[in-house]
Amino acid sequence: VAVSGFDFEGARVAARNGAGIRFEAGQLTLRRCRFGGNEMGLLTSNDPRAELVLQFSEFAHNLRPDGHNHQLYAGSIASLAVWGCWFHHGSVGHLLKSRAAVSRVFYSRLTDEAGGTSSYELEFPNGGVALVVGNVVQQGPMTDNPIMISYGAEGYRWPRNTLALVHNTLVDELPEGGRCLRVAPGAVDLLAACNLLVGNGAHLEGAAAGEYRANAYAGPEVFADPAGYDYRVARGAALPAPLDPGRREGMPLMPTHEYLHPCATRALGARPALPGALQTRADRHKRASQA
C-alpha cells in the first residue's frame, strides 16, 4: 500500500495514543505526508513481518494531554526505512523511536528547534540493525533528556545488533552539555565515522567499544546560521576531509544524497568533501545585530 500527499491531524482516543496512522500489518509506503496535532504521529504494531517506508514526510507537534508523545513509534516490525523526512518539535517523547529488526534512517532532519522538549532524538531501545546516515540531528536547550541517540536501553532482542552512525551532523545546544550517544552493554558492532559534532556534548568515542573514524568536532561558528537552524557549513570554514566509511550489513555507507530542507533530498555529484550530513556550503547569515 502506498499513500501520498495527505495530512493527518487531530487523532484522539481514550487510551491517549491516537495516531495519524496506526500501521498493523503488511507493507506501507508514505510519501509527502504530514503528521501534526495527533497524540502520536505514526504508531505501528509488533508484527515481525511488517515493513514501513517513509519518504519526504513531516512529523511535528504531536502530543497527548499528559505531554508525552513520540513523533514516530515503530514497534517490533521487520524493517523501517526513513528517507528525506523532517521530525521536529517533540514534547517529552522521542522524535523517532524504532524497535524494528532493521532501521535505516537516511538523509533526514531530526531537530528540537525553538520550544521543542523532546527526549531522545533517535532511540533504538532493542538494538537491531540501525543504519543512520546523512542526517541533521539537533538537541535543543529545553530537551527532556540530555542524550541525543540511544541504542539498546531496553535490552537486545534481535540476533544482529549493528549501529552505524555515518556522516551525520550532531548539534548539542544543551547549555550544560549532553551526550551524543549512549549504547547499552552488549555484543554490538558499532561504527561512528565522518560525523560532525558541534556543541557541548560528550565525544562519540566515550559511548562504547567500537570503530571510530574521521569524526570532526567544531564550534557553532562553523555553520552558516546556527541561530536559524541552518546547519550548512559556512564558506571558508576549515574542516578535515572525510574518509570512506566502508560498509555494514552489505550496504555501502558512503552518502549519495544530502538532506534539502524542507523534506527533500539532493543527489551528490561527487563523494562527500565534508564531514557531517550537508555537503553544500552556504554564505554566513548576518543578522541585524551583526550588521
Side-chain angles (χ1 to χ4, degrees), residues 3 8 11 17-24 28-31 33-45 51-55 57-60 62-63 69-75 77 79-82 85 87 94-98:
V3 178
F8 298 89
N17 63 352
I21 287 180
R22 187 176 181 110
F23 173 45
E24 296 289 348
L28 175 63
T29 297
L30 297 177
R31 298 187 185 95
C33 293
R34 188 180 68 84
F35 293 76
N38 308 289
E39 290 174 322
M40 295 277 184
L42 188 153
L43 181 64
T44 85
S45 69
E51 299 178 353
L52 176 62
V53 177
L54 304 175
Q55 298 174 337
S57 295
E58 181 180 359
F59 298 76
N62 297 288
L63 74 159
N69 76 306
H70 302 307
Q71 304 304 306
L72 169 64
Y73 189 172
I77 60 177
S79 65
L80 167 70
V82 177
C85 293
F87 302 83
H94 311 322
L95 293 180
L96 186 157
K97 180 172 184 173
S98 176

Side-chain angles (χ1 to χ4, degrees), residues 33-266:
C33 293
R34 188 180 68 84
F35 293 76
N38 308 289
E39 290 174 322
M40 295 277 184
L42 188 153
L43 181 64
T44 85
S45 69
N46 292 312
D47 185 336
R49 298 165 297 179
E51 299 178 353
L52 176 62
V53 177
L54 304 175
Q55 298 174 337
F56 313 121
S57 295
E58 181 180 359
F59 298 76
H61 301 289
N62 297 288
L63 74 159
R64 64 192 204 187
D66 62 4
H68 291 73
N69 76 306
H70 302 307
Q71 304 304 306
L72 169 64
Y73 189 172
S76 300
I77 60 177
S79 65
L80 167 70
V82 177
W83 180 290
C85 293
W86 181 21
F87 302 83
H88 61 105
H89 287 95
S91 175
V92 181
H94 311 322
L95 293 180
L96 186 157
K97 180 172 184 173
S98 176
R99 299 183 187 274
V102 178
S103 301
R104 300 181 182 91
V105 184
F106 279 56
Y107 317 127
S108 293
R109 176 174 169 130
L110 303 99
T111 49
D112 262 345
E113 302 185 25
T117 60
S118 62
S119 183
Y120 303 129
E121 276 63 50
L122 287 149
E123 187 192 21
F124 308 98
N126 298 128
V129 175
L131 306 180
V132 181
V133 178
N135 303 284
V136 176
V137 184
Q138 177 252 0
Q139 174 171 258
M142 298 174 62
T143 180
D144 190 62
N145 190 318
I147 297 166
M148 298 173 67
I149 302 171
S150 176
Y151 183 86
E154 297 180 26
Y156 296 108
R157 62 159 296 171
W158 300 108
R160 301 199 322 276
N161 295 292
T162 297
L163 174 60
L165 300 176
V166 174
H167 270 285
N168 300 289
T169 296
L170 305 173
V171 183
D172 176 26
E173 295 187 356
L174 191 64
E176 61 271 27
R179 291 175 59 186
C180 286
L181 175 64
R182 181 177 68 182
V183 178
V188 177
D189 177 15
L190 171 61
L191 169 67
C194 308
N195 299 289
L196 174 59
L197 296 93
V198 173
N200 297 320
H203 285 200
L204 283 172
E205 287 76 3
E211 183 180 355
Y212 299 90
R213 294 194 285 126
N215 297 298
Y217 297 84
E221 65 277 2
V222 77
F223 294 131
D225 184 18
Y229 310 111
D230 183 350
Y231 298 121
R232 291 175 294 175
V233 174
R235 298 188 198 281
L239 287 170
L243 304 175
D244 185 341
R247 306 169 69 92
R248 280 298 188 276
E249 301 294 326
M251 175 177 289
L253 298 176
M254 181 80 74
T256 59
H257 290 69
E258 65 177 344
Y259 177 78
L260 181 64
H261 198 55
C263 300
T265 62
R266 173 167 44 207

